Amino acid sequence: MKKEDVNTLSKFLAYFQNETDRGAALVGAAMVESKLEILLNKTLLDNFSKEELLSGFNSPIGAFSSKIKLCHALGCITDKEAREANLIRKIRNEFCTLAG
């Protein structure tokens, strides 16, 4: 692991540990979703179609679940990682439902 990655992870864990359960679920899910989007940005060709697919909530790949499925289908993440990302997504959704 690169020193930069270790520093980023260390800062994240320090921040994460001070969160409530709900905050941890939301922040953790946002981090995983962000990493999936980074993977997709690196994997897909750099053209207007990529922008249309990824940009905005109503875009075809705007939802967390869609990002998980596409990353998995492209081989960017393993079966286990896809299952774990879906579990994180479901936990996040439960906290959102409880708050609403």
Side-chain angles (χ1 to χ4, degrees):
M1 189 179 270
K2 295 184 228 170
K3 185 176 180 179
E4 177 184 317
D5 293 335
V6 171
N7 288 336
T8 301
L9 180 60
S10 178
K11 288 177 188 176
F12 171 76
L13 290 175
Y15 175 78
F16 192 75
Q17 290 173 347
N18 293 321
E19 284 292 332
T20 63
D21 290 345
R22 181 177 186 274
L26 297 177
V27 169
M31 182 180 174
V32 172
E33 186 172 5
S34 173
K35 295 298 181 184
L36 292 172
E37 193 164 326
I38 290 168
L39 277 172
L40 290 171
N41 270 310
K42 288 180 178 180
T43 304
L44 299 174
L45 294 176
D46 218 5
N47 56 36
F48 71 86
S49 292
K50 177 173 94 171
E51 279 300 311
E52 290 175 0
L53 286 171
L54 291 173
S55 295
F57 179 75
N58 289 326
S59 64
I61 311 171
F64 192 2
S65 60
S66 298
K67 290 174 187 152
I68 295 167
K69 288 175 188 170
L70 184 56
C71 282
H72 185 240
L74 291 171
C76 297
I77 60 175
T78 64
D79 290 348
K80 181 181 178 190
E81 291 166 334
R83 283 191 299 274
E84 289 175 351
N86 271 308
L87 180 59
I88 290 167
R89 180 185 59 79
K90 289 175 184 177
I91 292 168
R92 180 209 59 186
N93 290 350
E94 277 297 314
F95 275 102
C96 290
T97 301
L98 293 174

